[in-house]
Amino acid sequence: MRILVVEDEVHLAEALSHILKKNNYTVDVSNDGESGLDNALSDIYDVIVLDIMLPKIDGITILKTIRREGLDVPVILLTAKGEIADKVHGLDCGADDYLAKPFSTEELLARIRALGRRRGEISESSSTLKFGDITLNMSSLTLSGNTNEINLTLKEYELLEYLILHKNIVASKEQIIEKLWGFDSEAESNHVEVYISFLRKKLKFVHSSVTINTVRGVGYILKE
């Protein structure tokens, strides 16, 4: 999962980024509302952690804008305000959840997992994703098949996760690059080809019947 943290308190933003990366999430950070909105509108994120009090553009305005643009990405609002009225206002504007500062990182992680379950991205175990005869484990970054298990790099995990979550559509190289490396990345199509090759070898190693099919001129799709 790729997460956007929009938080102007630099130390808090860095701490959240470190914790989320430690839990195998891919994280981008924006320290003001203007860059946060630009990043959010790229539509490459699975969850946005959004502070309300931000310079340039406030969090509620960002939230209203991305909802008006039709983005359904889950949003967790962060704010120093703890009044019921503020929470209701944030939720009415399109937020999926709400955390008042100070909060525990364990609670934030639990709420991110809950949003993942709500969208069908992860199983009730909060750390596994299944497709056909394979199981991905986010905590250990492992791929399990019919008989074997093998470790994945974080980028391999993210790529296979993306293909599973988009199993009914063909994922283009451009979409994969934006999702895994970011919309302003210098990664090229051969980066995707290399990781597709790695994953195909590891699927064979675990004796899975799942294959990554190439749709010539379009992209890749998983098949059982």
Side-chain angles (χ1 to χ4, degrees):
M1 291 175 66
R2 191 179 194 97
I3 298 176
L4 173 63
V5 175
V6 188
E7 169 60 62
D8 64 321
E9 295 181 33
V10 176
H11 293 303
L12 175 58
E14 290 177 348
L16 291 176
S17 177
H18 175 74
I19 291 165
L20 291 170
K21 288 178 180 178
K22 189 175 180 181
N23 283 270
N24 297 323
Y25 294 108
T26 300
V27 185
D28 293 324
V29 174
S30 294
N31 294 126
D32 63 74
E34 189 172 76
S35 64
L37 178 58
D38 286 343
N39 284 337
L41 290 175
S42 68
D43 197 21
I44 64 173
Y45 298 100
D46 301 295
V47 174
I48 296 176
V49 179
L50 177 64
D51 190 23
I52 289 182
M53 303 299 292
L54 293 165
K56 298 185 180 180
I57 303 176
D58 66 88
I60 293 297
T61 299
I62 292 174
L63 179 59
K64 289 180 177 179
T65 302
I66 64 177
R67 293 300 184 237
R68 188 169 60 246
E69 292 296 320
L71 276 65
D72 63 353
V73 54
V75 174
I76 301 175
L77 285 180
L78 301 182
T79 182
K81 298 178 179 179
E83 297 297 325
I84 295 297
D86 295 317
K87 295 181 181 180
V88 171
H89 180 56
L91 294 170
D92 283 344
C93 288
D96 297 86
D97 208 342
Y98 196 109
L99 273 177
K101 300 175 184 178
F103 57 87
S104 71
T105 54
E106 290 80 6
E107 183 177 7
L108 175 61
L109 290 169
R111 290 175 186 244
I112 289 172
R113 291 193 297 268
L115 289 175
R117 287 197 299 274
R118 193 179 306 169
R119 300 188 86 197
E121 293 178 354
I122 50 180
S123 72
E124 293 182 358
S125 68
S126 299
S127 63
T128 60
L129 183 66
K130 296 184 178 181
F131 178 81
D133 58 7
I134 61 173
T135 300
L136 283 177
N137 189 300
M138 177 186 290
S139 299
S140 60
L141 294 184
T142 54
L143 167 65
S144 302
N146 287 318
T147 58
N148 292 336
E149 180 177 282
I150 192 169
N151 292 327
L152 301 178
T153 66
L154 180 57
K155 200 61 70 180
E156 289 171 345
Y157 177 92
E158 290 172 344
L159 176 53
L160 190 51
E161 177 191 54
Y162 182 78
L163 292 173
I164 291 175
L165 296 179
H166 298 79
K167 55 184 176 293
N168 296 320
I169 63 173
V170 178
S172 71
K173 291 180 180 179
E174 291 77 14
Q175 290 170 329
I176 292 171
I177 289 172
E178 286 188 356
K179 187 69 175 181
L180 271 64
W181 283 275
F183 64 91
D184 58 351
S185 169
E186 295 182 358
E188 298 179 354
S189 60
N190 63 332
H191 287 74
V192 179
E193 294 168 3
V194 167
Y195 281 99
I196 289 290
S197 176
F198 290 161
L199 284 177
R200 283 172 171 160
K201 292 176 181 178
K202 291 190 174 183
L203 286 168
K204 287 183 179 180
F205 178 82
V206 299
H207 300 116
S208 171
S209 61
V210 174
T211 59
I212 303 175
N213 290 7
T214 300
V215 180
R216 189 172 300 278
V218 183
Y220 304 96
I221 189 169
L222 278 187
K223 294 291 184 179
E224 295 185 57

